[in-house]
Amino acid sequence: MQRVKNVDYDEDDLYDDDEEYGEESDDRDSEQNRSSFAELTPVVRAELEEAGVQASDKAIEDALWNSFWDVGKSVVFLKDRNAPRQTPKKQEKAKSKFDQAAERSAKETGGSSKLAKLAEERRKKAAATAAGGSSTDSELSSLDRLTKPKDSKENDAPSSVAEPRKYPIRKKREPTPPPKEPTPPPPTEPEEEKPDLRASPTAFARTLSTHPVQGRKVTAPALADLLGTEQSEDPFKGPSPDDTVLKAQQRSKGRSLSKQTEALKLDSQSTQATIRSKGLDVPKLWAEEKAKRKPAAAFVVIGHVDHGKSTLMGRLLLDAGAVSQRDVNKYQKQAAEMNKSSFALAWVMDTGDEERERGVTFDFAQHHFSTPKADFTILDAPGHRDFVPNMIGGASMADMAVLVVDANQLESGMKGQTKEHILLAKAVGLKKVVVAVNKLDAANPAWSQDLFEQVQADVRKLLLDSAFAEQDIKFVPCSGLGGANVVNAPKASSPAAWVSKAHFTLLQALERSIPPRIADQEVIRQPLRMQIVDVFRGGVTNPVSIAGRISSGSVQIGDIVTVRPSGEKATIRAIDVLDEAKDYAVAGQICSLHLSDIEAQHLRSGDLVCSLQHPVHGRRSVVLLIDVLEPLLPQPVDVHVGRLHVPATISQLVETVDGKGEQLKRRPRLLKAGQRARIKVSFEGSVPLVVGERVIVRTAGVTAAHGTVE
Amino acid sequence: MSRLDLDSKHEFDQNVQETRIPPAKMKLVKQEILHKTGEGFAIMKPEEPEDMWHAYNLIRPNDLLRASAVRKVITESAGSGSRSNERVHTTLTIRVTKLDFDPQAGQLHVSGRVAEENPIVKLGGYHTLDLELQRNFTLEKSEGWDSVAIATLKEACDNDAKAQLWAVIMKEGLANICLVTDHQTILRQKIEYSLPRKRAGSTDHEKSMQKFFHTTYDSLLRHIDLANPKPLLLASPAFTAGQFQQYIKAQAAISTDKRVKDLLPKITVAQSASGHLHSLNEVLSSPAVTNKLSDTKFARETQLVDKFFELMRHEDNRAWYGPRESEKAVEQGAVGKGGGVLLISNGLFRSQDVGVRDRWVRCVDSVREQGGEVRVLSSMHESGRRLESLGGVAVILTYPMEDLDELGEGEVEEEQPESEDEHEHGANGHSHGVEGRRDHEEDIDFL
């Protein structure tokens, strides 16, 4: 009897279960069903008593429910269950979660799971007493499922919060997990019902079952459903369409499901596989969290080749604690083997083999670090003239610039990339610039203040000529290799002592130069625009990822975006900002977006990610308003828009204009340096360009003009 | 009847040209062209795909073209009413209405109406002749052979100078494989590869780079004839071309095909400003490359275009461009002896409008009379393409002239429709240089 009692206890447990999730009772509580129960329960009970079996009302009701009001089958089932079940039950209890998962999948495919074997056993025993015909199999298996939740219930015990966390993890190993059915929905035809058990709920069902409180955001879930990766479903409730309808009716009567909803929300937060938009009001959230945030900025490091940009940044990261001394020691050792020990710090930024071998940065490197006062993203641009396109890509993602000048080699840069980079920094719209006068320790005499003053004067003039404002320029004397005045001020005893009296360290200067994010809210509320800077494999779970800086609008997990010019759509699966997973990202942030529903071949660096509702349309030809730096004719040119680099042809010199944009001369035959003009440019293919976009025109490896799209 | 001496030294091509492998050039089988009037015909035999390009430049609408044709003939037997199809080989003479040139395949399709009695096709019936290699065709000019046509014919049948080279213009993630001949730059394949950026702790970039090289190398081998390797030019900004050369060397070392090794000494590595095709221009005109690849007609043309651009940049009033300005300069005799050069794209001579062609033939003739140099640039070369963007014609004058562009507003307006016309022409893909480049791009993506 002890055992029977045990069973009864289980039954109660099951009952509780139903109460808690309020589903079974939902449909059963309908009037018609209740009357059927009232009618049939006594009949079954009488039969059971005849056979000497005890059962609670609830158990009988369950059995009836699941056998579709078939008294005979219910009786068989109840008898059956009360008699031989204890041994297998213990086994079940001992089962690990993996076994359960395996069972479930085996069941799904109709394989010979342990439970199925049990069912077989029972069926044989039941065959003697059964009045039911050959069709019992299916009903029995269906009924078997009724007993299943007990196992999991017992294992997972009362912590209902813990459950959702565990299940998705298990489910990830099964590509198509069926919602585990503790209590099958009302079967109209048992055989037909089976597939129903496994069918995932419809979009409608989901909407109803998961967003009963704020019933909005219908579109995103619909897509998420199509993906089939929806994991937030609690295994204990897999509502069939019928269930849902009934539940909806129930809900309309005022019964709240908020408890489940809460659990589900928790669930969806804990699993990345869920691609459901939370429907966040991002601009509002962004504003709310403003107080909590540290100021953040991305700065591009520019300057002539070999002036020590990468080394200075390596030093900055090392001294700021973003890179461990151990790593640097390792680089030092490796670099020494290649007789390039002075490049060790640069290797923090230059990760490519070829870059290290040649000691030249090829592509801009990206690195984050934080100080107590601010979050920074370094964009370490290459200084070599052949890599200017990559520098433009880096600069277009930055909020400000750090210009590195070799105090001893000023001349080379003034003619070369120091000058060109300054122009380009201005052309992509950067305003603030910190000038790091580097390699002062190698000067003769070391830390010569005169030399610094002289360099400062020269560079300042160049910057002012390039239309940078006086107050936006800061000068920092420093040494990247030695590390003086980068993060730590030089010692008072050193020849560089004069530095700390009048100048900030590089880091302090950076912290003081962070430009305010102007008109934050306004930009964030605009449609999403983000240029893809990199297409990469973000890991096993994120096969397709892109990186870039959001230029306007915002994006959140679950959003559907479109990529131009390919026109393909993608869903945002996850977002990383500053190497941390986030729910959303806004304009001005550099982020990685992990995508699903798109192939990598539709993504190229330079493509534009746009909001679905307001895509940017590609254009084959545009009119540009440019400031001319080199003489231009109608001729083939390279057009750079951030990371985008396309060949184009100047098809017409429309007019030269004055400062206000008034026409000076129509159809000039030549554009001279220093002029301002409108030109018509045609592309080979269509290029997604927004009005006002900053454009750089280069020809034969020289920056010839910069301007904006009209 | 005095005939033109077509075997005389090419009078327009003054630069010294090196004779290479005996070239298979268009053969002039027979010609009867009257010196005075230009009336007459020429029988030619194209022997290689590039000859189709010459044919394309020679044949104009309204010309009479006689070539072998295959025609499907449907015969209906009177009694039973049954029909039978038959492909009949015949020779047709058509009056040309339209030309269609496919540079990738090197095929020329000429449509027109049958102009000579034929047992199979009725007079006036439409037919499209596909000119074939090794088959003679006869061309008779309706308006007579003008000087430009004769020059083209000479050039086509010129047995000298036959330079060809393969070029790969590349940058990280992009490679343009093209064949550069005397008259054409044919983009054979464009390989685009999406490379992930470098990031700490990941070797994806290096791996993709290797894959990109591999794809480029494979495609290159598919295109080039290893048995008879031509010079191979690798050009890129920075180090990509050098890396690719290393890759080819490594592949040659492990390859079982000995011929790949023979390719190695033919490789030249050069710097270009970008990986896009239009950078080919500056590469081919750079001294490092011209020395190695010896002379080509193309190099001389590129030099002239460069000189022109240089003069323009220095605002030297000896350089002018645009149809109106150039014509005016020629009229005033400024393009004459002592450095006068007329650069003109052969696209202008292919104009559907007979008037346009006549106008430029007159212009060319008048420059020659004045003793100036005339360069007909192929619109399928990058130098020609640069010229196309200037309106197809440019001049270097012997003395500076000012205000050639200062004309009455009315005249400017008059020019408007023509430039629109030019634009339309461009839309056909002909005036923009490498024809067919859009249709034949092959993009290979990594995943």
Side-chain angles (χ1 to χ4, degrees):
Chain A
M1 272 300 107
Q2 175 62 29
R3 295 177 178 200
V4 175
K5 224 179 165 187
N6 212 349
V7 171
D8 279 346
Y9 171 75
D10 287 346
E11 231 80 276
D12 289 342
D13 204 351
L14 184 66
Y15 183 81
D16 286 344
D17 209 26
D18 291 336
E19 277 300 284
E20 191 178 325
Y21 288 90
E23 274 188 58
E24 283 313 307
S25 45
D26 286 352
D27 8 282
R28 286 196 203 173
D29 283 355
S30 75
E31 260 182 51
Q32 198 199 337
N33 289 349
R34 242 178 282 145
S35 65
S36 303
F37 276 135
E39 201 177 297
L40 292 172
T41 311
V43 182
V44 176
R45 184 172 293 284
E47 289 224 25
L48 285 174
E49 268 162 12
E50 241 175 58
V53 177
Q54 285 184 354
S56 67
D57 278 8
K58 180 67 190 163
I60 294 168
E61 273 177 28
D62 279 345
L64 277 170
W65 181 251
N66 290 307
S67 60
F68 197 47
W69 315 119
D70 189 327
V71 175
K73 285 173 194 167
S74 306
V75 171
V76 169
F77 169 70
L78 287 166
K79 278 192 211 158
D80 206 17
R81 198 180 45 157
N82 289 349
R85 69 174 327 206
Q86 286 314 316
T87 23
K89 220 180 159 246
K90 285 225 167 100
Q91 268 175 19
E92 280 168 18
K93 271 188 187 174
K95 264 174 213 159
S96 73
K97 298 230 157 88
F98 291 105
D99 286 345
Q100 286 177 7
E103 266 169 36
R104 234 174 293 128
S105 61
K107 250 188 127 171
E108 191 190 337
T109 53
S112 56
S113 73
K114 287 178 187 171
L115 274 184
K117 278 178 195 153
L118 285 176
E120 186 71 33
E121 226 174 53
R122 273 180 229 147
R123 209 183 307 130
K124 277 178 195 157
K125 295 207 172 166
T129 45
S134 58
S135 67
T136 41
D137 283 16
S138 53
E139 282 96 326
L140 276 171
S141 60
S142 165
L143 286 167
D144 284 345
R145 251 169 255 141
L146 181 66
T147 64
K148 275 198 68 190
K150 270 178 273 158
D151 314 330
S152 31
K153 197 64 196 171
E154 276 159 13
N155 285 336
D156 295 337
S159 70
S160 58
V161 190
E163 271 166 27
R165 282 207 193 115
K166 285 173 189 166
Y167 278 99
I169 293 165
R170 262 190 263 150
K171 282 192 171 188
K172 268 183 191 164
R173 299 170 191 215
E174 296 173 61
T176 51
K180 195 172 148 191
E181 279 299 315
T183 39
T188 41
E189 195 74 48
E191 283 83 0
E192 282 175 10
E193 195 53 36
K194 274 179 88 182
D196 262 351
L197 291 177
R198 288 167 173 101
S200 51
T202 61
F204 181 55
R206 263 160 217 274
T207 315
L208 290 173
S209 61
T210 54
H211 286 276
V213 186
Q214 62 300 48
R216 60 207 171 87
K217 269 282 167 195
V218 185
T219 46
L223 181 106
D225 293 341
L226 291 173
L227 305 174
T229 45
E230 179 58 56
Q231 297 286 315
S232 67
E233 225 33 65
D234 188 294
F236 281 75
K237 48 187 286 301
S240 76
D242 290 359
D243 279 332
T244 319
V245 173
L246 285 164
K247 207 190 319 162
Q249 287 165 354
Q250 190 71 33
R251 198 159 50 87
S252 66
K253 283 177 206 159
R255 189 165 164 180
S256 167
L257 289 169
S258 57
K259 202 179 165 190
Q260 284 100 303
T261 314
E262 266 169 36
L264 285 169
K265 273 193 167 170
L266 247 171
D267 191 356
S268 61
Q269 268 162 2
S270 64
T271 54
Q272 286 222 337
T274 308
I275 313 174
R276 166 172 300 176
S277 176
K278 289 185 202 162
L280 303 173
D281 184 358
V282 173
K284 202 172 146 214
L285 268 174
W286 179 249
E288 278 168 4
E289 289 175 12
K290 198 166 186 173
K292 280 189 259 166
R293 272 194 311 269
K294 281 191 275 187
F299 59 87
V300 62
V301 190
I302 57 175
H304 195 65
V305 67
D306 285 340
H307 279 202
K309 293 177 293 301
S310 300
T311 303
L312 184 63
M313 287 308 113
R315 168 61 65 186
L316 183 62
L317 285 171
L318 175 64
D319 288 358
V323 175
S324 71
Q325 182 67 47
R326 205 172 127 258
D327 286 343
V328 175
N329 289 346
K330 193 178 78 193
Y331 294 145
Q332 221 129 33
K333 208 177 140 206
Q334 288 169 351
E337 280 167 17
M338 291 167 68
N339 284 329
K340 287 179 194 274
S341 49
S342 67
F343 285 103
L345 279 169
W347 283 18
V348 173
M349 307 305 287
D350 296 346
T351 51
D353 290 345
E354 197 79 8
E355 287 183 321
R356 289 182 175 181
E357 213 167 281
R358 295 181 193 264
V360 175
T361 308
F362 285 14
D363 199 356
F364 70 90
Q366 194 178 323
H367 221 296
H368 309 299
F369 74 99
S370 295
T371 70
K373 283 184 188 158
D375 291 323
F376 286 109
T377 303
I378 300 176
L379 301 159
D380 180 34
H384 194 285
R385 72 186 289 263
D386 279 351
F387 300 115
V388 168
N390 293 339
M391 177 268 166
I392 296 171
S396 63
M397 289 167 74
D399 303 308
M400 57 181 181
V402 172
L403 173 66
V404 180
V405 192
D406 183 344
N408 313 303
Q409 302 269 333
L410 186 62
E411 274 313 300
S412 66
M414 283 300 201
K415 290 197 187 79
Q417 271 58 58
T418 302
K419 190 177 174 202
E420 187 171 15
H421 281 191
I422 288 173
L423 283 171
L424 291 171
K426 190 72 202 170
V428 298
L430 301 182
K431 290 195 173 65
K432 301 256 185 184
V433 58
V434 175
V435 184
V437 181
N438 198 16
K439 303 197 188 179
L440 273 172
D441 53 347
N444 187 23
W447 295 97
S448 154
Q449 194 164 355
D450 291 344
L451 179 65
F452 171 72
E453 300 291 347
Q454 193 197 326
V455 170
Q456 182 172 354
D458 287 355
V459 176
R460 187 187 300 272
K461 184 171 178 299
L462 192 58
L463 284 166
L464 293 177
D465 286 350
S466 310
F468 280 92
E470 175 85 49
Q471 70 272 14
D472 289 337
I473 310 169
K474 284 191 175 63
F475 281 86
V476 177
C478 64
S479 161
L481 196 61
N485 209 36
V486 176
V487 173
N488 308 314
K491 289 192 196 80
S493 58
S494 74
W498 58 271
V499 168
S500 44
K501 283 176 199 144
H503 297 280
F504 296 121
T505 63
L506 178 59
L507 189 60
Q508 286 165 339
L510 283 172
E511 284 171 349
R512 282 171 171 75
S513 297
I514 294 176
R517 290 183 193 266
I518 330 142
D520 239 355
Q521 287 294 317
E522 216 171 284
V523 182
I524 291 172
R525 287 188 192 281
Q526 281 169 5
L528 172 71
R529 302 278 182 266
M530 185 185 105
Q531 192 181 46
I532 300 177
V533 168
D534 188 15
V535 182
F536 63 103
R537 207 180 139 81
V540 184
T541 46
N542 299 312
V544 183
S545 303
I546 55 173
R549 179 182 188 267
I550 300 176
S551 54
S552 72
S554 64
V555 64
Q556 58 178 306
I557 293 174
D559 275 3
I560 303 167
V561 295
T562 169
V563 179
R564 297 287 158 157
S566 73
E568 294 290 320
K569 288 175 194 162
T571 311
I572 309 293
R573 180 202 277 268
I575 299 172
D576 286 350
V577 180
L578 297 168
D579 293 338
E580 273 173 44
K582 288 271 168 16
D583 287 336
Y584 65 90
V586 301
Q589 287 184 316
I590 295 174
C591 59
S592 297
L593 303 180
H594 304 294
L595 306 180
S596 61
D597 313 323
I598 193 162
E599 298 288 328
Q601 65 189 12
H602 299 303
L603 300 162
R604 258 158 231 250
S605 56
D607 285 359
L608 201 63
V609 174
C610 321
S611 66
L612 200 57
Q613 291 78 21
H614 305 279
V616 175
H617 294 288
R619 296 165 74 176
R620 280 189 171 273
S621 80
V622 288
V623 173
L624 306 177
L625 178 62
I626 54 163
D627 288 318
V628 185
L629 304 171
E630 293 285 331
L632 278 178
L633 288 167
Q635 69 186 71
V637 288
D638 292 321
V639 171
H640 297 259
V641 183
R643 189 70 168 170
L644 185 70
H645 176 189
V646 287
T649 306
I650 300 179
S651 51
Q652 203 179 79
L653 308 177
V654 181
E655 57 187 9
T656 52
V657 294
D658 59 14
K660 288 173 200 146
E662 298 290 315
Q663 180 175 352
L664 289 175
K665 188 178 185 217
R666 200 167 153 269
R667 298 275 193 113
R669 80 178 181 121
L670 169 75
L671 296 179
K672 297 168 211 162
Q675 282 182 330
R676 204 171 157 77
R678 282 198 176 82
I679 57 169
K680 197 170 170 190
V681 167
S682 51
F683 304 106
E684 275 175 23
S686 82
V687 176
L689 282 176
V690 195
V691 172
E693 190 107 64
R694 288 174 190 276
V695 173
I696 290 159
V697 177
R698 302 188 90 231
T699 166
V702 181
T703 302
H706 62 85
T708 50
V709 177
E710 293 224 307
Chain B
M1 193 188 274
S2 70
R3 291 200 191 144
L4 278 184
D5 178 16
L6 285 166
D7 294 323
S8 69
K9 178 79 189 134
H10 208 278
E11 60 179 294
F12 313 122
D13 214 352
Q14 283 151 358
N15 48 321
V16 188
Q17 286 175 335
E18 197 184 309
T19 315
R20 300 170 156 264
I21 322 138
K25 264 286 180 180
M26 180 106 83
K27 265 193 191 135
L28 188 64
V29 178
K30 190 185 179 192
Q31 58 101 357
E32 267 178 34
I33 300 171
L34 289 173
H35 203 8
K36 272 186 187 160
T37 57
E39 280 167 25
F41 65 91
I43 302 174
M44 283 160 282
K45 182 168 149 195
E47 297 199 321
E48 59 152 30
E50 184 156 86
D51 292 340
M52 291 304 170
W53 165 249
H54 293 298
Y56 175 52
N57 281 305
L58 273 175
I59 303 168
R60 301 306 335 138
N62 268 338
D63 291 353
L64 283 174
L65 181 70
R66 184 176 169 83
S68 68
V70 179
R71 179 101 181 167
K72 192 166 82 177
V73 180
I74 301 167
T75 45
E76 202 166 329
S77 66
S80 61
S82 69
R83 298 164 65 140
S84 65
N85 283 342
E86 208 181 346
R87 283 162 62 83
V88 183
H89 283 265
T90 177
T91 304
L92 288 178
T93 305
I94 59 168
R95 191 162 288 278
V96 179
T97 53
K98 209 179 82 190
L99 292 111
D100 176 26
F101 179 59
D102 177 357
Q104 292 282 321
Q107 282 178 336
L108 181 62
H109 312 289
V110 189
S111 315
R113 303 181 71 167
V114 175
E116 212 168 76
E117 204 75 52
N118 188 289
I120 298 159
V121 194
K122 275 185 223 146
L123 205 62
Y126 281 95
H127 190 84
T128 300
L129 289 171
D130 300 333
L131 292 189
E132 285 174 71
L133 297 180
Q134 310 297 349
R135 281 189 191 276
N136 293 354
F137 67 88
T138 310
L139 181 66
E140 194 179 336
K141 288 270 174 197
S142 57
E143 316 276 323
W145 294 73
D146 56 37
S147 60
V148 172
I150 288 172
T152 312
L153 180 62
K154 276 184 182 175
E155 200 176 287
C157 305
D158 181 6
N159 272 330
D160 287 355
K162 182 73 192 168
Q164 277 197 351
L165 67 101
W166 284 97
V168 184
I169 311 296
M170 60 199 303
K171 62 173 185 179
E172 291 196 2
L174 173 71
N176 295 290
I177 299 176
C178 44
L179 175 65
V180 184
T181 69
D182 272 354
H183 306 96
Q184 287 170 287
T185 302
I186 307 163
L187 178 69
R188 280 295 166 82
Q189 196 163 26
K190 182 173 170 185
I191 295 154
E192 262 186 298
Y193 220 83
S194 173
L195 294 171
R197 256 162 39 76
K198 65 170 180 183
R199 48 189 64 231
S202 159
T203 55
D204 279 359
H205 179 80
E206 273 74 22
K207 279 186 203 151
S208 311
M209 199 68 183
Q210 287 301 311
K211 273 190 211 154
F212 164 63
F213 282 153
H214 183 71
T215 314
T216 311
Y217 175 72
D218 279 355
S219 320
L220 189 62
L221 286 195
R222 271 205 300 280
H223 287 293
I224 60 181
D225 177 13
L226 280 175
N228 176 22
K230 303 201 169 76
L232 173 61
L233 172 67
L234 307 177
S236 78
F239 313 110
T240 316
Q243 282 171 268
F244 186 51
Q245 188 192 22
Q246 293 303 321
Y247 183 87
I248 297 178
K249 275 186 185 160
Q251 293 296 314
I254 55 168
S255 168
T256 51
D257 193 345
K258 287 260 182 335
R259 296 178 301 173
V260 180
K261 284 197 184 70
D262 298 337
L263 184 66
L264 293 179
K266 301 253 178 194
I267 298 176
T268 307
V269 176
Q271 289 282 312
S272 67
S274 81
H276 299 298
L277 193 57
H278 63 75
S279 293
L280 182 62
N281 216 346
E282 67 192 71
V283 178
L284 288 175
S285 59
S286 74
V289 176
T290 43
N291 287 346
K292 278 219 172 183
L293 302 172
S294 94
D295 182 278
T296 63
K297 175 171 173 283
F298 178 61
R300 169 75 179 148
E301 283 170 359
T302 309
Q303 273 167 20
L304 283 172
V305 175
D306 280 348
K307 186 183 169 195
F308 170 79
F309 271 75
E310 200 52 41
L311 287 172
M312 280 304 294
R313 284 206 187 90
H314 291 100
E315 295 173 56
D316 193 314
N317 279 329
R318 282 181 297 163
W320 289 91
Y321 69 88
R324 212 164 5 100
E325 292 86 346
S326 305
E327 205 168 26
K328 208 169 166 192
V330 172
E331 271 169 27
Q332 298 186 9
V335 191
K337 260 190 202 120
V341 181
L342 172 69
L343 298 166
I344 187 161
S345 162
N346 61 7
L348 286 177
F349 299 118
R350 286 200 303 270
S351 171
Q352 299 288 321
D353 184 350
V354 181
V356 173
R357 183 183 163 100
D358 282 352
R359 175 181 167 195
W360 293 113
V361 170
R362 273 201 307 278
C363 189
V364 167
D365 288 346
S366 112
V367 171
R368 279 189 190 138
E369 274 164 28
Q370 292 166 27
E373 183 179 354
V374 177
R375 284 277 162 184
V376 180
L377 268 57
S378 167
S379 62
M380 281 197 59
H381 262 331
E382 286 301 310
S383 58
R385 195 176 172 233
R386 273 160 96 188
L387 195 59
E388 293 272 327
S389 61
L390 298 173
V393 55
V395 285
I396 300 175
L397 311 185
T398 45
Y399 56 88
M401 284 179 81
E402 275 175 36
D403 306 333
L404 275 176
D405 55 340
E406 306 253 310
L407 297 159
E409 276 297 303
E411 224 171 317
V412 173
E413 293 308 326
E414 182 203 343
E415 204 60 43
Q416 197 80 29
E418 199 186 316
S419 73
E420 285 303 314
D421 198 39
E422 203 70 46
H423 221 76
E424 228 170 87
H425 193 45
N428 296 333
H430 290 307
S431 69
H432 281 295
V434 180
E435 278 147 89
R437 76 164 66 190
R438 253 160 242 155
D439 304 338
H440 297 273
E441 281 173 12
E442 185 174 333
D443 294 356
I444 297 163
D445 291 290
F446 102 107
L447 230 158

